[in-house]
Amino acid sequence: MKKLFLLLIGVMTLVACQQETHTLYLDQMDLSKMETGWGKNQINKSVEGNPLTIAGHVFDRGIGTHAVSKMMIDLHGNGKFFSASVGVDDESNEHASVEFFVLGDEKILWQSGLMKKGDDPKLAEVNLKGIKKMALYVSDGGDNINYDHADWADAVIEYFGDTPPVSVQPVKPKAYILTPPPPESPHINYPRVYGAGTGKPFLFRIPASGKRPMKFSAEGLPAGLKLDANTGVISGNVFRTGTYKVTVTAENAKGKDRQEIKFFIGFKLALTPPMGWNSWNCWGISVDHDKVLAAADAFVNSGLADHGWMYINIDDGWEAEKRTDKGELLPNQKFPDMKSLAGKVHTHGLKLGIYSSPGPKTCGGYLGSWKHELQDARTWASWGIDYLKYDWCSYGNIAKDQSLPELQKPYKIMRKCLDNVNRDIIYSLCQYGMGDVWKWGAGVGGNLWRTTYDINDSWASMAGIGFSQDKCSPYAGPGHWNDPDMLVVGQVGWGPTLHQTRLTPDEQYTHISLWSLLAAPLLIGCDLSQLDDFTLNLLTNDEVLAVDQDPLGKQAVKVKDADGIQVWKKQLQDGSITVGLFYTGTSAPEEALQWNDKIKTRKITVNWDDLHISGKQNVRDLWRQKDLGVFEDTFEAEVNYHGVVLVKISGEK
Ligand code: GLA
């Protein structure tokens, strides 16, 4: 028997040895399953589309990618050899730092060590015999992904037999819902403070969840406002500056809720971070009238508006090619009637936002407001626009230099113009953080300012931005917010085709938790007509949204950052704090690569000393909406990889 077995093995080995060896270049494989931290993976080109070049060596073949980059390959056990020349592409700059790894069946087979721009290409030569699944991984080198342009040049797999290796989808953890559905009885949500201008058109939809029909009433409404009892929409004009405490009641067949909402008339707008939707992360320049209207309708029909989501913002791509003879800006044929669109959005008690640039052209190449600022502000006001995103773009060619006065100038000009129209228009500065805009954005009259370059739906991008916002914390407050860019949950794609966000469910919990801790503007960037239960649940947890909308307006600060974990703390108005315990992970491949569906976890401990609190404290899990008990001195939680446990900690009552 044993002899027969040995013979069989011998024959099989002989057959295998006789099997022909084939080669498959990486650039011949399906790259759609390869992940990149920025841009698009490119065949025989760098990630920015230039010839693959490492320290002056030019390569004809290979893949240009960007950290963090991952590719899983099924070798069917037929692998023989892998080789590639790797390095940072010359198109990058001195901020680049990456490390290349070749793994097989969860083990590191080869690693490049840290590589920077200008380092000579390194040759990876890896024996693949007996390996079932291999992975190519480029880490951020332990810092961040900025300028991490990485090349797998001349990358080729040798294999036995006729079944070529194939790239496979990385294992994606399944979505799981943490938050119980909101009760059918009325619950008045957030914001509970709202600012508007004296004598300007006032519009506020009471955010109340619960079964419809619902009846609304209000005591203490300032003169000039009326409430629609069926929709909860309050509108009118208040001509007397002041603070008005309004007691609002929402009632349905299941019960009643009564809450105080404070209206501050004549002081500041955006007393809490704006919450809404923006067309860019889903539709890009393919946005049109129907898509915008569909988003407004979806806010109402999905119930999002009942949880405080208010703004429907049109990003780039709405502008006509030419101004009128009088110099007026017009919408293009995709937006036949802006005024009527605004009117329809307003009927729901929602607001409409628009986009422009201080330069002659927007980032998408459409007309900007250069030399037409007042005229454009008037046009927008006449349409009924409530929010302006003003994006630097081609103003870079107008500005003399990058000095603070030059960076501030166009934003000051538009501020004056907005002050000249009879409408409240939230002013959103977008210039990617130049000149530490967080230090002067409020000074030039911005209600919010982008602190970063554009986000995308990768962990590297979202976490890279979100976890580096500590520096901006002191500058956020009611009326003026740091904007770490829009949300990348749900169906995104920058238009016209969309895909499900590449963030895992845990990464999405992290995204919403972190943005809420940061008191960030929350602008949903997905197609609302395709909202799945998970995404809707993620966007309608009122206890989490209350953290973002807290009237104190403090942005969270980082209290711990060590070995792949971070703890952030946000002070709330009622004296309690919200704490996020994040398992961000290190860039080690054993943590970063998901070979099976087992979720990695870590225990994270936070001590009261770190949080500057003491004594007995109630701890409540905000995603589960569940009290966890009374804790003294310390709290510990088991946290999923790239996930979060978000808790509210308040002194024992
Ligand atoms: C820039 C901005 C984006 C978006 C586009 C539109 O890239 O940062 O948010 O507005 O322009 O062209």
Side-chain angles (χ1 to χ4, degrees):
M1 189 64 183
K2 197 176 167 194
K3 269 189 189 154
L4 194 69
F5 181 68
L6 286 176
L7 192 71
L8 200 68
I9 296 282
V11 172
M12 278 168 65
T13 318
L14 203 68
V15 171
C17 291
Q18 279 173 350
Q19 274 187 332
E20 248 181 279
T21 303
H22 295 280
T23 53
L24 184 70
Y25 279 85
L26 205 58
D27 53 77
Q28 295 172 309
M29 299 184 75
D30 172 13
L31 292 192
S32 65
K33 299 180 178 95
M34 180 180 194
E35 292 180 20
T36 169
W38 181 85
K40 223 173 145 234
N41 294 311
Q42 301 267 7
I43 295 174
N44 302 335
K45 285 188 205 127
S46 69
V47 72
E48 276 187 326
N50 299 312
L52 290 162
T53 315
I54 305 171
H57 303 263
V58 182
F59 297 86
D60 291 339
R61 302 196 78 155
I63 299 298
T65 185
H66 194 288
V68 173
S69 167
K70 297 174 194 172
M71 187 174 191
M72 289 276 185
I73 299 169
D74 190 351
L75 296 169
H76 314 291
N78 297 332
K80 185 180 175 193
F81 203 73
F82 172 79
S83 63
S85 290
V86 302
V88 172
D89 195 281
D90 284 3
E91 74 189 4
S92 183
N93 68 20
E94 72 284 359
H95 297 294
S97 66
V98 297
E99 188 165 13
F100 293 79
F101 294 86
V102 181
L103 296 103
D105 296 336
E106 302 193 36
K107 291 199 184 67
I108 298 174
L109 304 177
W110 184 87
Q111 73 191 89
S112 64
L114 195 66
M115 294 193 76
K116 301 206 162 245
K117 186 184 167 180
D119 289 348
D120 274 333
K122 286 196 182 168
L123 186 63
E125 292 186 304
V126 185
N127 182 356
L128 298 178
K129 281 188 197 146
I131 303 289
K132 290 196 178 63
K133 210 172 173 186
M134 73 179 284
L136 299 176
Y137 168 58
V138 186
S139 85
D140 64 2
D143 52 3
N144 54 51
I145 66 161
N146 297 349
Y147 303 96
D148 286 351
H149 299 214
D151 297 340
W152 290 100
D154 285 344
V156 62
I157 300 173
E158 286 176 43
Y159 63 97
F160 298 113
D162 297 327
T163 317
V166 285
S167 60
V168 288
Q169 205 73 51
V171 179
K172 277 259 148 54
K174 289 211 173 55
Y176 61 98
I177 287 179
L178 289 178
T179 307
E184 292 200 324
S185 57
H187 187 258
I188 297 169
N189 296 311
Y190 309 92
R192 299 231 183 106
V193 292
Y194 180 76
T198 311
K200 307 271 177 85
F202 180 103
L203 186 67
F204 181 81
R205 180 189 166 103
I206 299 167
S209 50
K211 207 170 162 44
R212 264 49 185 182
M214 198 177 278
K215 278 272 175 237
F216 293 89
S217 58
E219 292 157 36
L221 267 190
L225 294 188
K226 63 175 192 324
L227 164 70
D228 182 319
N230 296 317
T231 60
V233 175
I234 301 175
S235 59
N237 293 78
V238 188
F239 289 96
R240 198 183 299 153
T241 299
T243 302
Y244 299 87
K245 292 182 185 171
V246 180
T247 305
V248 171
T249 306
E251 195 167 2
N252 68 7
K254 302 283 176 179
K256 194 179 188 172
D257 192 20
R258 246 168 102 82
Q259 297 292 341
E260 183 180 275
I261 301 183
K262 281 195 195 117
F263 293 134
F264 293 84
I265 306 294
F267 305 103
K268 286 179 191 167
L269 306 182
L271 293 180
T272 60
M275 284 172 67
W277 175 88
N278 173 295
S279 57
W280 187 249
N281 289 356
C282 45
W283 302 121
I285 55 167
S286 70
V287 62
D288 62 29
H289 167 280
D290 290 353
K291 291 184 170 108
V292 174
L293 196 56
D297 291 343
F299 259 22
V300 176
N301 298 334
S302 67
L304 281 165
D306 304 336
H307 298 272
W309 298 94
M310 200 185 282
Y311 289 90
I312 297 290
N313 293 350
I314 307 168
D315 208 281
D316 206 357
W318 64 268
E319 311 89 334
E321 262 178 42
K322 284 201 183 99
R323 292 176 178 269
T324 64
D325 293 344
K326 290 189 191 135
E328 277 163 351
L329 191 56
L330 296 170
N332 58 36
Q333 69 289 356
K334 293 188 291 160
F335 289 89
D337 189 344
M338 265 313 178
K339 196 168 178 169
S340 102
L341 176 59
K344 286 177 192 158
V345 172
H346 292 155
T347 328
H348 292 311
L350 302 172
K351 321 262 192 161
L352 188 67
I354 213 153
Y355 167 97
S356 190
S357 168
K361 288 272 152 78
T362 66
C363 294
Y366 293 83
L367 272 189
S369 296
W370 170 234
K371 291 195 166 156
H372 290 272
E373 293 83 358
L374 183 59
Q375 198 173 19
D376 289 355
R378 287 189 175 139
T379 303
W380 297 324
S382 76
W383 290 342
I385 294 296
D386 307 292
Y387 185 116
L388 169 68
K389 173 173 169 184
Y390 206 42
D391 194 353
W392 180 266
C393 307
S394 67
Y395 192 83
N397 305 325
I398 305 288
K400 287 196 213 88
D401 51 41
Q402 291 265 313
S403 63
L404 275 190
E406 282 297 291
L407 290 176
Q408 294 174 348
K409 194 167 151 190
Y411 290 102
K412 285 184 175 163
I413 293 176
M414 183 50 85
R415 175 71 269 167
K416 269 203 182 143
C417 302
L418 294 177
D419 289 341
N420 245 287
V421 300
N422 184 35
R423 225 184 143 74
D424 287 337
I425 299 183
I426 299 280
Y427 189 27
S428 154
L429 319 187
C430 178
Q431 47 83 289
Y432 339 114
M434 288 184 294
D436 291 353
V437 61
W438 46 92
K439 295 181 181 157
W440 51 265
V444 299
N447 295 116
L448 58 150
W449 46 83
R450 270 272 294 280
T451 56
T452 75
Y453 281 104
D454 293 17
I455 198 168
N456 70 46
D457 58 321
S458 72
W459 167 260
S461 166
M462 184 278 287
I465 291 173
F467 288 111
S468 64
Q469 296 297 302
D470 207 22
K471 57 183 183 294
C472 314
S473 285
Y475 307 98
H480 49 95
W481 309 101
N482 294 305
D483 173 10
D485 209 359
M486 302 173 288
L487 303 177
V488 280
V489 300
Q491 291 281 324
V492 294
W494 294 268
T497 47
L498 305 182
H499 60 263
Q500 183 61 29
T501 178
R502 292 173 295 156
L503 297 181
T504 66
D506 280 308
E507 291 170 351
Q508 295 180 63
Y509 280 117
T510 289
H511 188 15
I512 304 299
S513 304
L514 187 54
W515 263 236
S516 299
L517 283 164
L518 295 174
L522 299 176
L523 289 163
I524 302 170
C526 68
D527 177 8
L528 297 175
S529 69
Q530 297 187 57
L531 264 185
D532 56 285
D533 290 348
F534 172 78
T535 312
L536 185 61
N537 189 269
L538 199 63
L539 298 172
T540 52
N541 180 321
D542 299 304
E543 296 191 26
V544 174
L545 295 175
V547 175
D548 182 72
Q549 295 292 302
D550 188 73
L552 189 63
K554 282 263 184 241
Q555 179 172 324
V557 291
K558 184 156 71 177
V559 295
K560 206 171 184 175
D561 183 358
D563 185 33
I565 63 137
Q566 293 200 22
V567 178
W568 288 67
K569 164 190 156 180
K570 182 184 200 284
Q571 187 66 51
L572 302 179
Q573 191 172 50
D574 66 3
S576 65
I577 55 173
T578 303
V579 177
L581 293 82
F582 298 93
Y583 173 14
T584 50
T586 64
S587 43
E590 45 279 31
E591 267 191 313
L593 291 170
Q594 190 75 34
W595 294 87
N596 51 42
D597 53 13
K598 201 168 159 276
I599 292 179
K600 303 171 192 100
T601 63
R602 278 240 213 137
K603 279 218 165 78
I604 302 183
T605 308
V606 58
N607 297 323
W608 282 188
D609 284 351
D610 301 331
L611 301 172
H612 302 294
I613 55 171
S614 60
K616 289 187 177 162
Q617 300 281 340
N618 286 304
V619 177
R620 182 167 171 83
D621 183 320
L622 294 186
W623 280 110
R624 292 178 179 80
Q625 300 188 338
K626 199 172 139 198
D627 288 328
L628 299 179
V630 177
F631 293 76
E632 213 172 336
D633 299 332
T634 185
F635 171 73
E636 186 177 76
E638 179 124 352
V639 185
N640 289 351
Y641 177 67
H642 281 183
V644 60
V645 167
L646 187 70
V647 290
K648 181 165 175 171
I649 304 185
S650 38
E652 209 186 13
K653 298 205 172 75

